[in-house]
Amino acid sequence: GQNQTVQPRALSDNRRHARIADGSRRARARTGSGRWSTVDNVTHTLISAMVGEAIHRSTAASSTLTERSHRTVAITVMVVGGNLPDIDLVHTAWAGTQLDYLLNHRGHTHTIVGALILSLLLFAAVRLWWRYRGIEPSAADVRFLMLLAVLAPLLHVALDFTNSYGVHPFWPVDNRWYYGDAVFIVEP
């Protein structure tokens, strides 16, 4: 066979929602369940932890943060930030309908704009934590934190691109959904 590359494809919102609804009916039929299952973020957690460890190993600890603290910050910020875009599930739980899940999961938090807003919130939260703990970070620590806080949510969006559900990363400029179709998921 020929080597084929996976090309990102865009779906209109109507085709995308019809495809998702069809897939969710098949998934419920296979499981025999009429209820929505809990979203499993193990993949996002493990990949984020591995990237955090790799970043820790490739950067030097500062004079302010110990080697252990440097590693803890790298892994914790990557894991929390790597799962942060799925905060949209809070709205789904609150609204409580299957239609709300279909319309809102992978919504604005799964865009570049949304990921950058989540990055700012994560960055501010860690800075507040450091202040509470009495840690005065060096300029290198702040840059390190900034790198992690920006990378983690964007990594989540990039990973979600690879599957058959996809993302619309360029909202509000372009509201088309893109998916790599390289990883099959049974979600929603």
Side-chain angles (χ1 to χ4, degrees):
Q2 295 177 333
N3 289 340
Q4 295 180 349
T5 58
V6 176
Q7 296 294 322
R9 295 183 295 183
L11 285 179
S12 70
D13 282 343
N14 292 339
R15 283 184 52 215
R16 180 184 156 274
H17 291 299
R19 181 176 171 203
I20 293 166
D22 180 54
S24 65
R25 280 193 297 272
R26 284 194 309 266
R28 281 196 305 272
R30 278 195 296 270
T31 63
S33 166
R35 296 176 21 214
W36 294 96
S37 63
T38 305
V39 174
D40 185 3
N41 277 19
V42 173
T43 302
H44 287 297
T45 301
L46 292 176
I47 290 176
S48 295
M50 289 188 311
V51 170
E53 179 69 26
I55 291 172
H56 158 69
R57 289 180 183 207
S58 64
T59 56
S62 71
S63 58
T64 307
L65 295 177
T66 65
E67 183 75 20
R68 181 177 177 201
S69 295
H70 186 264
R71 181 174 188 263
T72 300
V73 167
I75 293 173
T76 303
V77 170
M78 284 302 298
V79 166
V80 170
N83 285 287
L84 208 50
D86 281 339
I87 194 81
D88 60 2
L89 292 173
V90 171
H91 177 267
T92 300
W94 175 71
T97 67
Q98 293 174 354
L99 180 60
D100 282 321
Y101 179 84
L102 287 173
L103 295 176
N104 294 304
H105 182 53
R106 298 214 182 152
H108 300 102
T109 60
H110 285 72
T111 65
I112 293 172
V113 170
L116 293 176
I117 291 169
L118 293 172
S119 296
L120 286 172
L121 294 173
L122 181 60
F123 179 81
V126 174
R127 289 298 308 263
L128 286 172
W129 176 251
W130 281 350
R131 180 176 293 160
Y132 173 77
R133 298 289 308 250
I135 299 170
E136 189 59 41
S138 67
D141 294 331
V142 173
R143 285 191 303 273
F144 178 66
L145 173 60
M146 194 177 306
L147 167 75
L148 297 169
V150 169
L151 178 62
L154 290 174
L155 178 62
H156 181 108
V157 174
L159 288 171
D160 281 355
F161 161 78
T162 65
N163 61 44
S164 56
Y165 193 115
V167 292
H168 60 125
F170 306 114
W171 175 91
V173 176
D174 178 9
N175 200 33
R176 286 181 292 174
W177 286 73
Y178 296 89
Y179 60 100
D181 226 7
V183 178
F184 177 75
I185 57 170
V186 181
E187 180 191 22

